[in-house]
Amino acid sequence: MFRNCHTSTLRNMSRLFTSTDDILDGLNDQQRDAATFEGRNLLVLAGAGTGKTRTIIARAKYLLDKGVEPARMLILSFTRKSAKEIVTRLQVSAKQDARKLHGQTFHSWCMEMIEKNPAVFNFGKFTVIDEEDRESAFKLICGRHFKKSNFIKPSELAEVYSYAVNARCNLTTALSRRLFNGQMDESTRAEILKRLPVYQDVIRKYLAFKAERRYLDYDDILQKVAVGLSKNRKAAQFIASGYDHILIDEMQDTNPLQYLLLSSFWDRCNLFCVGDDAQSIYGFRGADFQSIHRFTELVPDAQVKRLTINYRSTQEILDISNWLLDRSPLDYNKRLVAHRGKGVKPELAHYNQEWDQARDITMRIKNSVGEEGARYKDNMVLSRSNWGLKAVEACLVEAKIPCVIYGGTSLMASAHVRDIVSALRIVANPRDELAWERYLCLFPRIGEITAAKIIDKIISSSDLDECVSRLHSEKWIDDAVASTLQAISQLQSEVSKAIKAALQGLEKILGYKYRDDWDRRRKDFPILEKIGEGSESLSAFIADYILDPSLGTALKNEDDPDDCVILTTIHSAKGLEARNCYLVNVSFNQYPSAHAIACGEDAVEEDRRCLYVAMTRAKDHLVIYRSMRAIQVAEGTKDWFDFSTRYFLNDIPEHLYQLSYLNGTTERWEQYRGGGISFDDCADFDFS
């Protein structure tokens, strides 16, 4: 019967019968159960280190092997890097041709829908602006129209507006949550009512400004698509018909706006969502922690499964992490078990001075590399904020230890790069007033006032050629102002060459502007050109650079550029892991913070999850540093009771940790059980 069949058909049939077992090889029972789910919509609550990426890949392979076309499967993640990693691993290992598989972020997915469906999203030509641009726009509007409203801060306005969009709440609620710690007492209500009409007026003018200049800000990309599809059911049905399965990573970070977007798809597509409620730490951006606990209520025909076998850490590290969650009033119903078994107890290291902490971390890293055979990248330092890493960074630089910083200034946020990109943005959208202002102010004899006058003359031009013509009429303007834009305009489909043309036109000016460190800055432009090679057009490159700015700054290892100590904020650490992890300043006035205590229980529990995320990055060794001096600073303040009773490491059982004392630290902590502090007896400690 099979003699007349094409050889490839036989091969495909053979694959259908034999490859499913190959896909499931190596999965544990929990992972296998999730990957082979046959229902409609599924949430997989995957604890830290339990193999969520492996499970997503196994699910995708399973679906491909069952005959799902790659083009009808979408993989969503919160960073382009993680989405690309998943797709790349699938393309390498999948037996079916997976080149048409989509791996995107929510924002890049929405951008694709906008570009592919102009009849549905009829925005015309537009420019995507980032958070810095948005704040600049609010400054411009406030400066023009609201000079007498001295209580308005453009940065706060931008924050409140963004929160309202993502959390899908009214402006009163956004003001309360972002500026007044969620309080709504009589005095707070009066203050909000005072601000509300002015904030509403500014935001109306901001919306009009965007429409006139053809801008879409970062939040518009999701909001325009999500709301548009919710109101246009035929369009939603048409776009959703292009997908059979949507696989979503980091589901705990989704906000109400993203849930609205997904609601246009979950009746027509199968959702496979992976996340960890214990790692939900983006409430300040509007992420809704409660939604992951209410998944089966929000999403129709939904079920929940759990992954609890951890492949990253030793059991001792998981024991202290499990204990931290167990102390929460929330029911996480999660106790991770180490596949690797036993190891070394985490260490609580007490210090007096910040520099003692930094020097100790540096010494431990040197010892791990010199005596224990570790690499620099086997070491990770974690902090609540980028500022908390400064002392450690300084000590590492002094010791000539290579390091990379996550959560610092990115390549795309650097001033010299934004200068170059301003010229590219003008060519892509000649009505981009913010780009014109930055670009014109680069040139001699043009300040902000002069730039504003020039912009008023050219901004109504129909295209770039008319803009250039009007620039030429200003005889005193440097010829390079127009010639640079004309050179870029000829290369809009060759982005790398367009970037090079922009640099050639502006190099002399930038070299003077950044004369103190131009040799260092100019090394970034070949990297920018390389990034540009992957973009189809100037508009696509600008959208990409807004949506996915590069992360790190670094003191590189010349022998091995990838071998660097990782310095990271906790919010930038998800997805990272290291053999040795050092948690800085886990002190009683930091976990939870005063701000979290003021905001209420939801914020306090988010701080707990931050600490949990930090602890679960460690594979073999976990060192938790905490300040004794912090007690002396806070003792006697009005917040003393809240700090002392809420501290997450109060009454920690002795069997979960080992103690160490840095230079000059009294060992009398031992009598207070090291982890559990008796605050009634702290006054006689020697903090000198």
Side-chain angles (χ1 to χ4, degrees):
M1 177 174 72
F2 294 115
R3 286 184 179 177
N4 294 325
C5 290
H6 194 278
T7 304
S8 63
T9 303
L10 284 172
R11 188 162 52 245
N12 290 338
M13 291 176 65
S14 173
R15 181 174 61 230
L16 286 173
F17 287 116
T18 63
S19 60
T20 300
D21 288 340
D22 295 339
I23 292 168
L24 303 179
D25 279 351
L27 299 183
N28 64 42
D29 291 342
Q30 294 175 339
Q31 294 168 335
R32 184 181 295 106
D33 188 36
T36 59
F37 176 69
E38 295 295 343
R40 186 60 181 272
N41 299 311
L42 180 68
L43 170 64
V44 181
L45 287 176
T50 58
K52 67 180 179 66
T53 303
R54 184 178 189 180
T55 304
I56 291 177
I57 291 172
R59 174 65 173 174
K61 286 182 181 179
Y62 178 77
L63 294 173
L64 291 172
D65 203 60
K66 289 189 67 176
V68 175
E69 296 178 16
R72 297 187 61 79
M73 188 190 306
L74 172 67
I75 294 174
L76 289 176
S77 188
F78 277 77
T79 65
R80 193 176 298 249
K81 179 183 177 183
S82 61
K84 184 178 179 181
E85 176 191 351
I86 292 169
V87 171
T88 300
R89 286 169 62 174
L90 273 168
Q91 289 172 340
V92 169
S93 60
K95 296 187 178 181
Q96 191 180 134
D97 185 357
R99 284 176 294 180
K100 293 183 179 180
L101 193 64
H102 296 279
Q104 296 178 299
T105 64
F106 276 92
H107 287 85
S108 64
W109 180 36
C110 287
M111 280 294 297
E112 183 179 275
M113 283 190 270
I114 291 170
E115 292 168 357
K116 288 186 175 180
N117 300 279
V120 178
F121 309 106
N122 187 21
F123 304 147
K125 197 171 187 179
F126 63 88
T127 296
V128 179
I129 62 173
D130 64 7
E131 293 179 6
E132 183 175 321
D133 290 324
R134 176 166 57 197
E135 187 173 330
S136 296
F138 275 113
K139 285 180 182 177
L140 188 151
I141 292 165
C142 290
R144 286 178 177 172
H145 304 288
F146 300 92
K147 293 179 181 178
K148 294 182 180 180
S149 300
N150 55 14
F151 61 80
I152 288 184
K153 296 181 181 179
S155 59
E156 287 184 351
L157 243 170
E159 179 185 343
V160 169
Y161 168 77
S162 178
Y163 185 88
V165 172
N166 284 285
R168 292 186 54 75
C169 64
N170 59 40
L171 195 55
T172 300
T173 302
L175 278 164
S176 172
R177 290 178 182 173
R178 299 311 304 152
L179 300 187
F180 299 99
N181 299 330
Q183 298 176 4
M184 194 54 83
D185 54 33
E186 188 174 335
S187 63
T188 301
R189 187 181 297 276
E191 183 64 28
I192 289 175
L193 289 175
K194 171 188 170 185
R195 295 175 181 234
L196 193 60
V198 181
Y199 272 55
Q200 289 171 331
D201 200 6
V202 177
I203 289 172
R204 275 193 289 268
K205 285 181 168 56
Y206 172 65
L207 296 175
F209 175 82
K210 287 192 295 180
E212 184 181 355
R213 301 302 182 225
R214 296 173 184 169
Y215 290 141
L216 288 183
D217 66 31
Y218 191 73
D219 298 321
D220 286 332
I221 296 167
L222 257 64
Q223 198 261 354
K224 299 286 188 186
V225 175
V227 174
L229 292 181
S230 70
K231 292 180 177 179
N232 188 340
R233 304 311 295 172
K234 287 186 177 179
Q237 188 170 358
F238 169 73
I239 293 174
S241 67
Y243 303 99
D244 292 326
H245 294 269
I246 300 178
L247 285 63
I248 306 169
D249 193 12
E250 305 288 6
M251 190 66 185
Q252 76 279 352
D253 294 334
T254 47
N255 58 43
L257 182 59
Q258 288 159 331
Y259 264 84
L260 177 66
L261 173 63
L262 292 173
S263 70
S264 293
F265 293 84
W266 62 43
D267 284 330
R268 303 174 181 88
C269 308
N270 296 70
L271 297 190
F272 184 85
C273 308
V274 181
D276 183 6
D277 50 348
Q279 296 187 67
S280 177
I281 59 173
Y282 290 101
F284 63 94
R285 293 182 186 170
D288 183 10
F289 168 76
Q290 295 299 330
S291 64
I292 200 165
H293 276 190
R294 297 176 53 236
F295 186 82
T296 55
E297 300 172 29
L298 297 170
V299 181
D301 300 322
Q303 297 181 42
V304 176
K305 296 182 183 295
R306 285 178 166 79
L307 305 183
T308 58
I309 301 174
N310 177 286
Y311 292 88
R312 175 186 298 153
S313 307
T314 60
Q315 189 60 52
E316 283 76 4
I317 292 170
L318 297 183
D319 284 343
I320 196 171
S321 305
N322 288 335
W323 173 85
L324 180 68
L325 284 192
D326 288 343
R327 299 260 293 181
S328 170
L330 301 176
D331 181 15
Y332 290 97
N333 191 20
K334 181 186 282 94
R335 288 193 67 80
L336 299 183
V337 178
H339 182 266
R340 295 176 55 202
K342 293 286 187 179
V344 178
K345 288 182 181 180
E347 185 176 334
L348 295 181
H350 296 142
Y351 67 93
N352 277 331
Q353 302 288 347
E354 182 182 21
W355 288 101
D356 292 334
Q357 174 185 235
R359 284 188 285 267
D360 187 69
I361 291 171
T362 302
M363 179 193 70
R364 289 175 189 260
I365 291 171
K366 289 181 71 173
N367 289 343
S368 77
V369 174
E371 299 175 11
E372 300 169 18
R375 304 184 70 188
Y376 288 119
K377 68 180 181 181
D378 290 328
N379 295 276
M380 182 189 301
V381 185
L382 300 104
S383 170
R384 284 288 295 272
S385 66
N386 186 252
W387 178 254
L389 298 168
K390 293 298 182 184
V392 180
E393 180 188 4
C395 284
L396 292 177
V397 170
E398 184 181 10
K400 295 184 172 54
I401 293 176
C403 57
V404 60
I405 305 167
Y406 289 90
T409 302
S410 70
L411 171 68
M412 296 302 189
S414 302
H416 55 293
V417 172
R418 295 181 74 88
D419 291 338
I420 290 290
V421 172
S422 69
L424 307 180
R425 284 173 51 172
I426 290 169
V427 173
N429 176 11
R431 291 196 176 190
D432 190 339
E433 183 173 345
L434 298 175
W436 273 114
E437 183 178 18
R438 186 178 194 106
Y439 178 71
L440 290 171
C441 287
L442 291 174
F443 293 90
R445 297 180 296 175
I446 301 180
E448 292 181 1
I449 296 175
T450 304
K453 292 178 180 178
I454 297 171
I455 291 169
D456 287 342
K457 292 180 181 179
I458 65 177
I459 203 67
S460 61
S461 302
S462 58
D463 55 27
L464 184 66
D465 289 339
E466 187 176 341
C467 286
V468 169
S469 176
R470 293 184 182 184
L471 284 172
H472 280 308
S473 68
E474 303 286 346
K475 300 297 184 183
W476 51 274
I477 291 181
D478 194 311
D479 289 341
V481 175
S483 62
T484 300
L485 299 178
Q486 288 173 313
I488 297 168
S489 182
Q490 304 300 315
L491 299 165
Q492 291 194 56
S493 60
E494 300 177 85
V495 179
S496 182
K497 292 182 179 179
I499 294 169
K500 187 174 290 186
L503 179 59
Q504 288 174 345
L506 298 174
E507 186 166 14
K508 184 177 179 181
I509 289 168
L510 295 180
Y512 180 76
K513 179 181 179 181
Y514 302 108
R515 53 191 176 277
D516 292 338
D517 61 348
W518 177 239
D519 286 341
R520 177 185 65 81
R521 290 177 182 262
R522 70 188 302 172
K523 293 176 182 177
D524 288 337
F525 294 114
I527 301 172
L528 196 65
E529 291 172 25
K530 192 71 177 175
I531 295 171
E533 290 177 1
S535 299
E536 297 178 359
S537 67
L538 210 53
S539 298
F541 168 76
I542 292 167
D544 282 348
Y545 117 79
I546 293 294
L547 297 180
D548 189 36
S550 302
L551 280 175
T553 58
L555 171 67
K556 288 293 186 181
N557 182 345
E558 294 182 1
D559 297 326
D560 184 355
D562 293 328
D563 187 22
C564 301
V565 174
I566 300 167
L567 304 180
T568 181
T569 62
I570 295 173
H571 285 91
S572 298
K574 288 204 301 185
L576 300 177
E577 60 183 28
R579 177 174 162 184
N580 309 312
C581 285
Y582 314 93
L583 278 54
V584 303
N585 197 18
V586 185
S587 302
F588 79 97
N589 59 341
Q590 293 293 320
Y591 292 91
S593 66
H595 176 75
I597 292 173
C599 287
E601 288 304 317
D602 288 347
V604 168
E605 287 307 306
E606 183 156 312
D607 270 11
R608 186 190 302 276
R609 295 191 293 271
C610 278
L611 182 55
Y612 177 81
V613 167
M615 286 179 171
T616 54
R617 300 309 94 196
K619 293 181 178 182
D620 297 340
H621 298 97
L622 174 63
V623 185
I624 301 171
Y625 291 86
R626 59 184 183 183
S627 168
M628 290 171 55
R629 186 171 290 276
I631 297 174
Q632 185 185 39
V633 172
E635 192 175 19
T637 68
K638 62 183 178 64
D639 298 319
W640 170 253
F641 180 77
D642 281 337
F643 285 147
S644 62
T645 57
R646 289 174 178 263
Y647 179 46
F648 294 146
L649 298 188
N650 268 350
D651 302 320
I652 181 171
E654 291 181 345
H655 69 272
L656 292 180
Y657 63 90
Q658 54 182 321
L659 279 174
S660 65
Y661 307 94
L662 304 194
N663 190 27
T665 308
T666 175
E667 296 193 11
R668 289 182 63 189
W669 277 89
E670 190 120 39
Q671 64 181 291
Y672 300 109
R673 298 180 55 198
I677 305 168
S678 174
F679 288 91
D680 293 335
D681 299 315
C682 288
D684 65 339
F685 279 18
D686 178 10
F687 290 97
S688 60

